[in-house]
């Protein structure tokens, strides 16, 4: 899995200048999901090895909610590009995905032992409602929506970090050697 991740990241570095915004979002999303599964593998194995059953159950209750939030983010991004912009339901469809993400983040905040700030969840809808859907160039609108989706992504990961913090005090996790996963740029220059 780490070797595949390394290959994906190398491909991203070499090919990304040629990507459209939509393609870039898709590739980054795939790599992030791959990283998330690696994080899940390491955490789950460490919790089970350390026989931290209660902490494992706590973590497992947040994991699917986090994945569901990421799925909603993917649907939001899909809607940006694929839903007909001239359709009156365009903004409504996007808003539905934002509301779903807000609910998922609310679920994570209830599961977490940390005291999460509520304002990032509220700010998502506030920022969405400030986007001008009418009388705006289509490309500018899509770019603004993609930039907004980065804010959504950041918020999801801030809330996932709450769950990671919940288990951090209870378990020492030995991660993989980062240098083993580092990209060899000198190799890329020779090919």
């Amino acid at each position: 899995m780490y070797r595949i991740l390394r290959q994906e990241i190398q491909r991203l570095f070499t090919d990304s200048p040629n990507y459209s915004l939509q393609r870039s979002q898709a590739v980054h999303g795939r790599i992030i999901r791959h990283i998330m599964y690696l994080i899940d593998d390491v955490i789950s194995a460490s919790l089970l090895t350390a026989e931290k059953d209660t902490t494992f159950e706590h973590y497992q209750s947040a994991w699917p909610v986090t994945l569901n939030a990421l799925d909603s983010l993917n649907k939001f991004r899909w809607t940006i590009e694929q839903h007909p912009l001239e359709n009156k339901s365009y903004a409504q469809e996007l808003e539905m995905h934002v509301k779903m993400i807000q609910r998922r983040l609310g679920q994570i905040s209830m599961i977490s032992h940390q005291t999460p700030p509520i304002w990032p969840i509220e700010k998502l809808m506030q920022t969405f409602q400030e986007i001008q859907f009418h009388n705006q160039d289509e490309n500018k609108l899509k770019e603004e929506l993609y930039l907004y989706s980065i804010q959504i992504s950041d918020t999801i990961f801030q809330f996932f970090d709450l769950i990671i913090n919940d288990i951090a005090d209870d378990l020492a996790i030995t991660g993989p050697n980062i240098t083993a996963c580092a990209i060899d740029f000198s190799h890329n220059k020779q090919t």
Side-chain angles (χ1 to χ4, degrees), residues 38 46 59 73 86 88 93 110 120 139 144 158 173 176 182:
L38 289 172
S46 298
Y59 170 71
L73 175 59
E86 64 278 357
K88 291 180 181 179
E93 178 83 13
M110 289 189 304
N139 290 332
E144 186 176 353
Q158 286 173 356
I173 296 176

Side-chain angles (χ1 to χ4, degrees), residues 74-133:
N74 286 337
K75 290 175 185 173
F76 179 90
R77 288 177 173 156
W78 183 90
T79 302
I80 291 172
E81 200 58 41
Q82 303 301 326
H83 200 280
L85 186 66
E86 64 278 357
N87 193 320
K88 291 180 181 179
S89 66
Y90 185 72
Q92 292 172 335
E93 178 83 13
L94 291 167
E95 183 176 0
M96 179 193 68
H97 296 306
V98 174
K99 286 180 179 177
M100 186 62 73
I101 292 165
Q102 282 184 304
R103 288 178 191 264
R104 304 287 189 216
L105 294 174
Q107 288 176 296
I108 294 171
S109 68
M110 289 189 304
I111 294 168
S112 175
H113 299 304
Q114 313 290 316
T115 306
I118 298 302
W119 64 266
I121 298 175
E122 294 171 353
K123 189 171 184 200
L124 286 180
M125 186 53 70
Q126 178 186 354
T127 304
F128 178 79
Q129 291 172 340
E130 292 170 1
I131 296 173
Q132 299 297 317
F133 282 90

Side-chain angles (χ1 to χ4, degrees), residues 60-78:
Q60 286 296 304
S61 66
W63 176 246
V65 179
T66 305
L67 287 182
N68 287 337
L70 289 173
D71 284 342
S72 294
L73 175 59
N74 286 337
K75 290 175 185 173
F76 179 90
R77 288 177 173 156
W78 183 90

Side-chain angles (χ1 to χ4, degrees), residues 39-58:
I39 290 170
D40 179 56
D41 281 348
V42 170
I43 291 174
S44 296
S46 298
L47 289 169
L48 292 172
T49 301
E51 298 181 359
K52 301 283 187 178
D53 294 338
T54 304
T55 307
F56 178 74
E57 288 172 14
H58 171 66

